Amino acid sequence: MGPSVSRVAVSKLPMVGAMFWATKIVATTLGESASNFVTMAPLNLGYAVGAMIFLMAFGVTLAMQLKADRFHPVVFWSVILTTSIVGTSMSDYINRTAGLGYAGGSILLTSLLVIVLIGWRMTGQTMDVERIATTEGEVLYWTATLVSNTLGTSSGDFLSGGLGLGFRDSSLLLSGAMLVILAAHYLTPISGTALFWAAYVLTRPLGAVAENAVEKPVAQGGLGSGTTVTSSALLAVLAILVGRQMVGGHHVTRKVDAAFATDSHDPQPVGPSTATSTDGYAGKPPGRHSHRGEGDRADL
C-alpha cells in the first residue's frame, strides 16, 4: 500500500488581524446606516420591504462567495455588508413592527445565536475561522454571521434605548468590552475561538450605536449628520480598506489540510496551514497559537 496523500482544501475566509477587525467594524456600521437609508429616511420603504430587498441582495452575494475558488476581498466583504444591512432591517421589524421590543428581540436573537453555535459545534466542523475550508463550514459561518449581525442591532438598541445609556455611552461601554477581550486573548488561556466569536458579535452593536451617534439628530443624542452623509462617508472608508486588501498583501489564499477543516478528524491538529497568494505574497500561518497544536484558536 502506497503512502497516504494529504488532501488539501482552500480557505476562502481572510486571516484575522487588525485589518480584519477594522474592516468588519466599518462594514457593520455602514450596514446600519444603509438600512436606515432605505427603510427610514430618506426612502421610507419600511422594515418589511427593506428586509425582503436586502435578503435578495444577501442571497446574491452569498452565492458568489460560495462559488468562489479562493478569497476575494470584494466578494467576502460584500456578504458581510449585506448581512449587516438585512440584519438591521430584520431586527427593527422584530423589535418595532412585531412589537417584541429591544429586550425581547435581544433575548430571542441571543437564544437563536446560541442554538446556531451549538449546532455548529455538534456537526464536527471547525469553528476556527482561519481553518474553515469546507462548504458546510462556510455555510455555518455565514449563518452565524447573519444571526449575530441581526442580534447586534437589537442589543445596540437595547443598550442605548432600553437601558437609557445613549449612543455615546453605549459606544464607550462596547469599546471597553472589546479591549477586555483583546487583553484576555493575550493574557489568559481562554480559547481564542471563544474570544473571536465574542468580539465578532460585539462589533455589530458597536457599529450600530456608533452609527446612530453620528447619524441621529442632536435632539436624540446624535451629531445630526443624517443617513446620506454617514452612508457615503462609511462607503468611502470601506472601499479604501477593501482596496488595501486587494493590493497590499492581504489578498491571500490559504491552503489547509482537509483533515483540519473538521474537528472530528483531529481535534488537536499539529502544524499550521500554508498560505499562498496570487501576487506572490507569503502569508503568515494563521493563529498565534498554531504552533502549539491548538487548531481551535483564532488570532484576534
Side-chain angles (χ1 to χ4, degrees):
M1 183 180 295
S4 60
V5 178
S6 176
R7 294 177 297 123
V8 175
V10 174
S11 175
K12 298 182 291 179
L13 306 182
M15 288 193 287
V16 179
M19 177 64 74
F20 174 88
W21 291 115
T23 313
K24 172 68 161 59
I25 291 173
V26 172
T28 54
T29 306
L30 175 58
E32 180 83 9
S33 182
S35 177
N36 291 342
F37 183 92
V38 173
T39 60
M40 294 189 284
L43 297 186
N44 296 306
L45 296 183
Y47 303 131
V49 173
M52 289 188 289
I53 294 173
F54 301 141
L55 273 173
M56 289 188 290
F58 166 63
V60 171
T61 57
L62 180 60
M64 294 173 61
Q65 171 68 21
L66 294 177
K67 289 181 64 176
D69 58 356
R70 57 188 175 88
F71 170 57
H72 293 276
V74 173
V75 176
F76 175 86
W77 291 110
S78 293
V79 187
I80 292 289
L81 177 58
T82 54
T83 61
S84 300
I85 299 174
V86 72
T88 300
S89 58
M90 289 195 302
S91 173
D92 288 340
Y93 181 84
I94 291 171
N95 297 343
R96 300 170 184 174
T97 304
L100 264 67
Y102 298 144
S106 296
I107 293 172
L108 172 65
L109 293 166
T110 298
S111 301
L112 181 58
L113 180 60
V114 170
I115 292 171
V116 169
L117 293 177
I118 291 176
W120 183 347
R121 188 66 178 176
M122 292 176 64
T123 66
Q125 295 289 321
T126 181
M127 298 182 75
D128 181 345
V129 296
E130 292 187 340
R131 291 183 182 271
I132 294 175
T134 66
T135 300
E136 183 179 357
E138 195 174 358
V139 168
L140 290 165
Y141 172 81
W142 289 117
T143 301
T145 297
L146 178 60
V147 176
S148 68
N149 282 340
T150 307
L151 168 62
T153 296
S154 285
S155 56
D157 288 340
F158 176 69
L159 286 174
S160 60
L163 296 182
L165 296 180
F167 303 131
R168 296 171 196 175
D169 288 347
S170 296
S171 297
L172 292 174
L173 178 63
L174 291 166
S175 297
M178 291 288 288
L179 291 176
V180 170
I181 292 173
L182 180 63
H185 174 67
Y186 287 105
L187 302 176
T188 74
I190 299 175
S191 166
T193 298
L195 292 174
F196 169 85
W197 281 105
Y200 195 80
V201 172
L202 284 179
T203 56
R204 184 64 188 93
L206 176 60
V209 295
E211 189 277 335
N212 286 327
V214 174
E215 173 200 324
K216 298 299 183 183
V218 175
Q220 297 180 21
L223 298 179
S225 66
T227 55
T228 302
V229 172
T230 303
S231 297
S232 299
L234 289 169
L235 181 59
V237 174
L238 181 62
I240 292 171
L241 291 174
V242 174
R244 172 72 178 84
Q245 293 176 49
M246 294 179 65
V247 301
H250 295 274
H251 193 180
V252 178
T253 296
R254 297 190 315 285
K255 295 179 180 179
V256 181
D257 189 318
F260 296 167
T262 57
D263 291 334
S264 58
H265 287 89
D266 187 354
Q268 293 285 330
V270 293
S273 58
T274 59
T276 58
S277 173
T278 55
D279 58 9
Y281 171 83
K284 295 180 180 180
R288 182 169 58 91
H289 300 276
S290 292
H291 63 283
R292 298 180 183 177
E294 298 181 14
D296 67 334
R297 295 192 67 115
D299 195 0
L300 292 177

